[in-house]
Amino acid sequence: MAKYFDVHPDNPQRRSIDQVVGIVREGGLVAYPTDSCFALGCQLGNKDGIDRIRSIRHLDDRHHFTLVCRDFAQLGQFVHINNTVFRAIKASTPGSYTFILPATKEVPRRLLHPKKKTVGVRIPDHVVAQALLAELGEPMLSSTLLLPDQQEPLTQGWEIKEELDHVLDAVIDSGDCGTEPTTVVDFSEDEPEIIRRGAGDPSRFE
């Protein structure tokens, strides 16, 4: 059964954040709010957590997982960024964007796109997500909480607990965080390519 945490959206309770991070460090899989919609998250090297995300979402090995980072300094440890891309991404973070970039050796091989050797990265503009990342001290491996048989992500913590109680270890509820996933921009080639239009304004990359 998943533990349920009712967390204040503006002033997250330290005790709850500590408990959730403890669950993540012990190999748990959690559902947590972001500035676009709920996400599934686990620790970077958690093979079981990755397999569980794949199973919940019915994902194949071409899916780009996302490393959700606290800040730009952390993001820069896991992806290669040239000066032009750096400026474009810096101007858009934190925010509702996921960027696909060539991965550094810090990223476990099983997270990489099998052909491109790329990975998704993002910096959320959400108080609770940021509190989790600050306490964890490293990026959280994440994927949008969109179930294979549904058109839109689940938006309520209690719904997520009800639906996924048997496959999650914790659910953080801090209110409705919307149904629109991030805008995904692929920077792995010479020109940026918008892969998915979502909550972030895509016009700045067109």
Side-chain angles (χ1 to χ4, degrees):
M1 276 182 62
K3 290 186 176 176
Y4 186 80
F5 296 90
D6 190 0
V7 175
H8 194 282
D10 301 316
N11 297 292
Q13 301 91 320
R14 181 63 187 263
R15 186 165 175 272
S16 295
I17 296 297
D18 288 351
Q19 284 181 280
V20 174
V21 169
I23 289 168
V24 171
R25 286 186 176 138
E26 287 165 13
L29 178 63
V30 304
Y32 69 100
T34 76
D35 51 341
S36 56
C37 48
F38 273 93
L40 297 167
C42 67
Q43 206 163 17
L44 198 54
N46 183 350
K47 183 179 184 303
D48 176 63
I50 296 165
D51 290 342
R52 286 159 72 187
I53 292 173
R54 286 193 193 280
S55 174
I56 290 167
R57 293 205 52 204
H58 295 185
L59 301 173
D60 62 25
D61 64 358
R62 293 185 302 279
H63 175 74
H64 269 108
F65 282 101
T66 299
L67 304 183
V68 179
C69 303
R70 183 187 180 190
D71 53 27
F72 214 88
Q74 196 176 70
L75 183 148
Q77 296 172 36
F78 295 90
V79 288
H80 296 290
I81 309 178
N82 65 34
N83 287 339
T84 306
V85 174
F86 175 91
R87 285 193 293 272
I89 294 178
K90 185 83 165 140
S92 310
T93 55
S96 301
Y97 296 94
T98 298
F99 302 103
I100 295 170
L101 289 157
T104 67
K105 289 186 169 63
E106 299 291 320
V107 182
R109 284 179 64 86
R110 71 176 70 94
L111 302 185
L112 303 181
H113 186 283
K115 289 183 178 174
K116 294 183 172 184
K117 306 300 184 221
T118 48
V119 71
V121 286
R122 70 169 299 218
I123 302 171
D125 188 12
H126 192 282
V127 172
V128 175
Q130 281 288 345
L132 283 173
L133 294 166
E135 182 60 29
L136 185 61
E138 61 182 74
M140 190 138 61
L141 171 70
S142 292
S143 184
T144 303
L145 208 174
L146 179 61
L147 300 181
D149 59 343
Q150 296 182 359
Q151 294 297 312
E152 290 191 337
L154 296 172
T155 61
Q156 303 291 335
W158 63 267
E159 281 183 313
I160 294 167
K161 168 137 173 82
E162 209 170 71
E163 185 98 16
L164 299 173
D165 201 26
H166 57 298
V167 290
L168 294 179
D169 299 292
V171 175
I172 302 177
D173 192 352
S174 61
D176 192 334
C177 59
T179 61
E180 202 170 11
T182 55
T183 291
V184 179
V185 185
D186 188 339
F187 272 109
S188 62
E189 303 294 338
D190 293 337
E191 294 293 324
E193 180 186 357
I194 296 166
I195 304 295
R196 179 178 71 195
R197 293 172 185 274
D201 177 11
S203 65
R204 62 176 63 197
F205 300 106
E206 291 175 321

